[in-house]
Amino acid sequence: MTTDYDYLSDLNDAQRAAVTYDAGPELVIAGAGSGKTRVLTYKILHLLVDRKIEPWRIMALTFTNKAAAEMRSRIEKMTGAKVASRLWMGTFHSIFRRILNAHVDRIGFKPGFTIYDSADSKALVKTIIKDMDLDDKIYKPSTVLGAISAAKNALISPAQYKVSRDIIEADKRARRPMIYAIYETYCRRCFVSNAMDFDDLLYFTNVLFRDNPDILHHYQEFFSYVLVDEYQDTNFAQHLIVTMLTRQSGNLCVVGDDAQSIYSFRGANIDNILTLKRTYPTLRTFKLEQNYRSTQTITNAANSLIEKNTEQIRKNVFSRNEKGSPIELVRAYSDFEEGYLVANRIASLRAERHDSFEDYAILYRTNAQSRVLEESLRKRNIPYRIYGGLSFYQRQEVKDAMAYFRLSVNVDDDEALRRVINTPSRGIGQTTLQRLGRAALDAGVSLWSVIADPGAYPAGLGAAALKKLDTFRMLIESFVALNLQGRSAFEVAETIITRSGLMAQYLSDHAPETIARRENLEELVSAVREFVEERLEEGNPDIMLGDFLGMASLATDQDRKDDDMQATERVTLMTAHAAKGLEFNNVFVVGVEEELFPSGMSMSSLREIEEERRLLYVAITRAKCFCMLSFATTRFRNGQTVMPRPSRFLNDISGEYMRRVADSAGAGDFPVRPQVHFHDSFRQHGSAPNYVRVSDVQAAPSSARSGADDVNVRAGMRIEHQKFGRGTIAEVDSSMRDNVRIVVNFDNAGSRTLLLKFARFTIVD
């Protein structure tokens, strides 16, 4: 085909060189914001126009349908719909499904095989676990599926899995020695059902090419050129397919950025891009180093961070945009104050720039961090959305816990009871629940009434079912008793989370999904604890679990209201992983602390630390104009308040591109130097004292005032609060001697009235 459009004039020199090169395999290292999609699109256009390759002989592989659709749309505008529609362009799974369909008989399947999605696969694994009479608390379907997926992506068959000493030993150590049998059964049942899951599409394409040289040769000849997007995210199975298709011809163009390889937990192998030259000795590497997205300062700061990695393809990303302001580094006294600092900064920036809430994003390492941020944004009336996830109180494990809370306050709450009666699994099935429901409906009473007095409301249940229900009844009654005894919401919530088994079911598994659920439950306990402590300080006696539920229901109602309103302008909240591929004018990265960013689960090797550093690099390079990093000196994690150190990565960012903004400690601005170790320099300022347990707070006044008594507290004093940060006492009300109250104007958290005997602060001047 031909075109009158001079498409090469749209490219810079580096992009043009990568697009026009056609003397062998090429690797295009595309730095953040360097126009990777444009290069891929124009490379395809070059193959069509200058190389005269028929569109159906070009294979372009992407990781998402969105990426494929964007490229196809761009090509369609330049070549027309007819040409664009004939390209073999799509995700790995869609393209290889097409190939498998054409040769399904060679791998033993029948035409028209079904594709199982994740829900189908999970349902099948659940059935197998049940049929094998295995404990689903140990053999969690998501964990088992993760092991099966990892095996398939490593091209390990069930037979190979079974005889691998290392794999079997690892499963035994994890108390899951029967995974090999589940894997075997799963594959057999899929085959009998003439079905494949997503991983099978890659696995069986490899099998097809390996066992059928004639078919492999056909596709090697058929495809004149293969292009791959985001090559740093490929796993072993994907890399091997691409290699088999192109090793002879060398007609390959892969685009990616090793500095943005952050998905090892999904099976991505950074070595695929780092060692590509070993597979293709004549490989030519092109580097796209001009960042069109970010300011010079943000670009240079990100460079100074990522250059500390040892495993990388060296490049010098630069920007010709405006210089821009330094990255702001903010210290907060607590995760609570951190949320207020972020919300306040968004409000002030928006007032200055008159931009949209859509231009703001808050990035965090774990989903559990969103809860405090959501609360802070709501209090400032700043609309927000959770990208790629649910609002905190709408998450499954949080709703499970809240249902227990509701039931302990109101045993007649049928919906709460239905949710938790078999969560975690205690052998109470749908048949039992249906019979309970019929008995309750016939008698006009709640489900609890039937459970509490089965003799009065016969449900036709056997002795085994009645015994399980009685065990459940005693559990709930023990929670009810705590409320009746006047225990605080925190004490009851902590007991429920522990004794119900909700937390225990997530303790033996280290899959990312399970870790996130565990962190969310810990964050819920933190929310209840904060609720109690704050009300005690305010002299508010309403600290029961029912009071917390009332507060939380307002938060969830607000979430639903926002969804119903379909607000077009909202601040985006998301994990740093989810932010890859996106960009925003203003980015806030919170919780940049040791054991959080980098994650405590990813600190056992240099390779893990380097991936965490790449993740922070990705987070920072999402920003166009403004970036703020923040950390807290106290944070509630793993069921307790900890005093984390600032992340080691802050030392990696050159002080030339970052400045510390005056925080509530009043430290003022200062240039951050590369050699300064924050965890040492901040320690000299003194750490905030430890939180005391709520039960202790209720029993005695806080000891956090460094010996100051009521007489010494006066208006005008500056104080440092463990949660709200620094502030000034505006008023002291001594009209009730045993309940002296102070009004404090906090620098970031607004005005608060605190009951002095419970207030947790130190006097600073």
Side-chain angles (χ1 to χ4, degrees):
M1 63 164 288
T2 59
T3 179
D4 295 330
Y5 177 54
D6 182 15
Y7 62 93
L8 294 178
S9 64
D10 291 341
L11 306 172
N12 64 32
D13 291 343
Q15 292 170 336
R16 190 179 304 110
V19 165
T20 58
Y21 180 75
D22 55 14
E26 67 176 305
L27 166 61
V28 181
I29 297 297
S34 63
K36 143 183 99 61
T37 303
R38 169 170 289 200
V39 167
L40 267 177
T41 303
Y42 280 48
K43 182 74 179 184
I44 294 172
L45 188 62
H46 171 72
L47 295 173
L48 292 169
V49 175
D50 290 276
R51 290 281 304 275
K52 308 298 182 185
I53 297 177
E54 294 91 341
W56 56 88
R57 293 191 181 278
I58 297 173
M59 176 189 283
L61 300 169
T62 67
F63 274 85
T64 65
N65 289 311
K66 179 182 177 183
E70 182 181 354
M71 280 202 295
R72 189 181 297 277
S73 175
R74 293 190 188 188
I75 292 170
E76 186 175 314
K77 289 178 181 177
M78 294 182 284
T79 67
K82 184 177 180 180
V83 171
S85 65
R86 294 182 178 180
L87 293 165
W88 281 63
M89 178 182 289
T91 64
F92 281 89
H93 296 93
S94 66
I95 295 297
F96 298 144
R97 178 180 182 272
R98 186 174 171 183
I99 290 175
L100 288 174
N101 267 329
H103 308 282
V104 68
D105 58 309
R106 296 288 192 100
I107 53 174
F109 282 78
K110 302 172 188 175
F113 60 84
T114 302
I115 302 296
Y116 278 177
D117 63 15
S118 57
D120 297 323
S121 297
K122 192 170 186 178
L124 176 55
V125 167
K126 280 183 178 179
T127 300
I128 294 170
I129 291 170
K130 184 177 180 181
D131 291 347
M132 294 178 68
D133 199 26
L134 297 172
D135 187 346
D136 60 4
K137 294 175 186 157
I138 297 174
Y139 290 90
K140 296 183 179 70
S142 58
T143 302
V144 174
L145 272 174
I148 292 173
S149 177
K152 288 182 179 180
N153 287 326
L155 302 181
I156 298 172
S157 68
Q160 292 169 321
Y161 193 107
K162 186 176 182 178
V163 298
S164 171
R165 181 176 297 177
D166 290 342
I167 294 175
I168 295 301
E169 286 301 318
D171 286 345
K172 286 180 179 178
R173 287 194 298 271
R175 297 171 54 228
R176 291 184 283 267
M178 296 301 292
I179 285 184
Y180 80 91
I182 301 173
Y183 183 19
E184 212 168 35
T185 306
Y186 176 82
C187 291
R188 185 171 61 250
R189 291 198 186 181
C190 283
F191 183 76
V192 169
S193 300
N194 199 39
M196 295 186 197
D197 61 22
F198 287 130
D199 294 319
D200 284 331
L201 296 174
L202 303 177
Y203 179 87
F204 282 114
T205 300
N206 273 288
V207 170
L208 177 70
F209 289 163
R210 181 197 67 194
D211 297 345
N212 300 275
D214 59 321
I215 293 177
L216 174 59
H217 180 71
H218 165 74
Y219 285 107
Q220 288 173 334
E221 294 290 321
F222 182 80
F223 291 113
S224 299
Y225 218 95
V226 176
L227 303 98
V228 187
D229 188 18
E230 303 284 12
Y231 204 73
Q232 77 279 351
D233 293 336
T234 55
N235 59 32
F236 177 68
Q238 291 162 328
H239 173 68
L240 190 56
I241 294 171
V242 171
T243 300
M244 284 192 286
L245 285 172
T246 62
R247 179 174 287 171
Q248 289 185 359
S249 69
N251 291 333
L252 172 69
C253 173
V254 304
V255 179
D257 183 7
D258 55 292
Q260 297 185 63
S261 179
I262 58 174
Y263 294 127
S264 65
F265 65 93
R266 295 180 186 171
N269 186 352
I270 191 174
D271 289 336
N272 290 347
I273 195 168
L274 293 178
T275 64
L276 194 61
K277 195 171 182 65
R278 296 179 190 173
T279 306
Y280 300 91
T282 61
L283 182 77
R284 174 81 177 274
T285 299
F286 296 86
K287 298 179 181 179
L288 308 183
E289 298 175 307
Q290 183 171 352
N291 183 329
Y292 290 93
R293 175 189 301 149
S294 306
T295 63
Q296 295 178 27
T297 298
I298 291 173
T299 301
N300 292 338
N303 285 346
S304 69
L305 169 69
I306 202 62
E307 71 178 8
K308 308 304 187 299
N309 271 12
T310 59
E311 288 190 316
Q312 65 170 298
I313 297 172
R314 297 287 173 181
K315 53 187 172 295
N316 180 33
V317 180
F318 65 94
S319 172
R320 290 186 176 139
N321 296 334
E322 65 178 352
K323 181 178 180 181
S325 58
I327 289 179
E328 294 184 0
L329 176 63
V330 174
R331 177 182 76 167
Y333 274 91
S334 66
D335 46 352
F336 183 88
E337 192 199 30
E338 181 182 49
Y340 270 92
L341 285 164
V342 171
N344 292 345
R345 193 70 178 105
I346 289 174
S348 64
L349 279 175
R350 193 163 179 269
E352 294 170 12
R353 303 179 180 184
H354 307 290
D355 50 9
S356 166
F357 283 125
E358 293 288 306
D359 294 324
Y360 295 83
I362 306 173
L363 310 183
Y364 35 79
R365 182 61 182 83
T366 67
N367 277 304
Q369 291 170 258
S370 78
R371 197 270 306 173
V372 174
L373 296 164
E374 289 181 67
E375 180 181 334
S376 301
L377 293 172
R378 280 196 299 268
K379 288 185 176 180
R380 287 299 305 257
N381 292 317
I382 296 175
Y384 65 89
R385 68 164 64 86
I386 306 290
Y387 181 92
L390 297 171
S391 180
F392 181 79
Y393 287 107
Q394 297 300 318
R395 293 169 189 163
Q396 175 188 317
E397 58 280 1
V398 175
K399 288 176 72 70
D400 289 343
M402 294 289 282
Y404 271 108
F405 294 175
R406 287 161 49 191
L407 200 58
S408 73
V409 172
N410 172 21
V411 292
D412 293 320
D413 186 334
D414 278 358
E415 291 309 306
L417 188 146
R418 288 180 190 277
R419 187 173 185 99
V420 303
I421 194 170
N422 200 42
T423 303
S425 176
R426 50 177 60 91
I428 301 175
Q430 283 300 310
T431 300
T432 298
L433 192 55
Q434 288 169 2
R435 290 179 179 176
L436 288 173
R438 281 197 298 270
L441 185 63
D442 291 343
V445 297
S446 67
L447 290 170
W448 178 262
S449 298
V450 180
I451 293 172
D453 193 355
Y457 308 103
L461 298 172
L466 288 172
K467 184 177 180 180
K468 292 172 184 175
L469 288 172
D470 195 52
T471 300
F472 174 70
R473 174 190 61 78
M474 290 189 290
L475 177 70
I476 299 303
E477 285 182 346
S478 70
F479 299 155
V480 171
L482 291 175
N483 283 315
L484 294 177
Q485 292 166 14
R487 301 292 184 89
S488 74
F490 171 65
E491 291 175 292
V492 181
E494 191 175 44
T495 302
I496 288 174
I497 294 294
T498 303
R499 291 191 56 197
S500 67
L502 284 176
M503 182 65 81
Q505 66 182 331
Y506 301 127
L507 292 178
S508 61
D509 187 10
H510 297 297
E513 176 187 353
T514 307
I515 293 170
R517 293 184 186 281
R518 186 166 69 234
E519 289 172 340
N520 287 336
L521 287 178
E522 291 165 351
E523 184 61 26
L524 178 60
V525 173
S526 173
V528 181
R529 180 174 179 168
E530 287 179 359
F531 170 83
V532 172
E533 291 180 342
E534 189 171 332
R535 291 207 166 193
L536 282 172
E537 285 193 301
E538 293 172 349
N540 187 335
D542 300 328
I543 59 170
M544 303 291 287
L545 190 57
D547 302 314
F548 172 79
L549 288 170
M551 180 280 296
S553 67
L554 294 177
T556 53
D557 285 345
Q558 181 62 46
D559 294 338
R560 287 193 290 270
K561 184 187 293 184
D562 283 349
D563 290 339
D564 294 340
M565 291 171 63
Q566 293 294 309
T568 56
E569 289 189 19
R570 301 187 194 181
V571 172
T572 300
L573 278 68
M574 68 175 80
T575 63
H577 279 103
K580 186 171 175 290
L582 303 177
E583 58 183 39
F584 301 88
N585 283 345
N586 312 287
V587 170
F588 298 78
V589 187
V590 299
V592 189
E593 302 154 15
E594 286 292 288
E595 298 193 7
L596 185 55
F597 210 152
S599 167
M601 302 297 294
S602 302
M603 298 174 65
S604 60
S605 68
L606 177 62
R607 173 161 279 209
E608 289 180 341
I609 289 293
E610 293 203 344
E611 179 159 333
E612 290 289 304
R613 187 180 283 112
R614 291 195 295 270
L615 184 57
L616 182 57
Y617 173 83
V618 167
I620 291 172
T621 55
R622 299 312 92 195
K624 294 181 180 180
C625 306
F626 172 87
C627 182
M628 186 179 103
L629 309 179
S630 62
F631 64 92
T633 58
T634 63
R635 186 177 298 273
F636 192 87
R637 297 191 65 212
N638 303 320
Q640 61 183 347
T641 298
V642 297
M643 290 180 283
R645 292 178 298 168
S647 171
R648 68 189 69 189
F649 299 149
L650 295 176
N651 295 319
D652 295 336
I653 302 174
S654 172
E656 180 182 355
Y657 310 116
M658 185 166 62
R659 69 183 178 91
R660 178 177 171 185
V661 177
D663 59 15
S664 58
D669 295 350
F670 72 100
V672 181
R673 297 178 177 84
Q675 301 306 313
V676 173
H677 291 276
F678 286 91
H679 53 274
D680 292 328
S681 63
F682 283 142
R683 190 180 292 123
Q684 69 190 20
H685 294 295
S687 301
N690 285 319
Y691 284 121
V692 289
R693 288 181 58 84
V694 174
S695 55
D696 297 332
V697 172
Q698 290 176 264
S702 168
S703 59
R705 288 195 293 282
S706 301
D709 56 30
D710 297 355
V711 177
N712 291 333
V713 176
R714 62 183 183 277
M717 272 186 169
R718 291 284 289 172
I719 67 169
E720 180 181 296
H721 191 274
Q722 293 181 10
K723 180 177 179 182
F724 304 124
R726 289 205 170 192
T728 303
I729 297 177
E731 181 182 342
V732 179
D733 180 2
S734 303
S735 58
M736 299 179 64
R737 182 162 183 80
D738 293 333
N739 289 294
V740 176
R741 285 173 164 79
I742 58 173
V743 178
V744 184
N745 295 327
F746 288 102
D747 298 347
N748 296 300
S751 179
R752 301 269 172 169
T753 299
L754 307 178
L755 197 61
L756 187 59
K757 65 182 179 181
F758 290 133
R760 297 160 294 148
F761 66 84
T762 56
I763 297 170
V764 293
D765 60 20

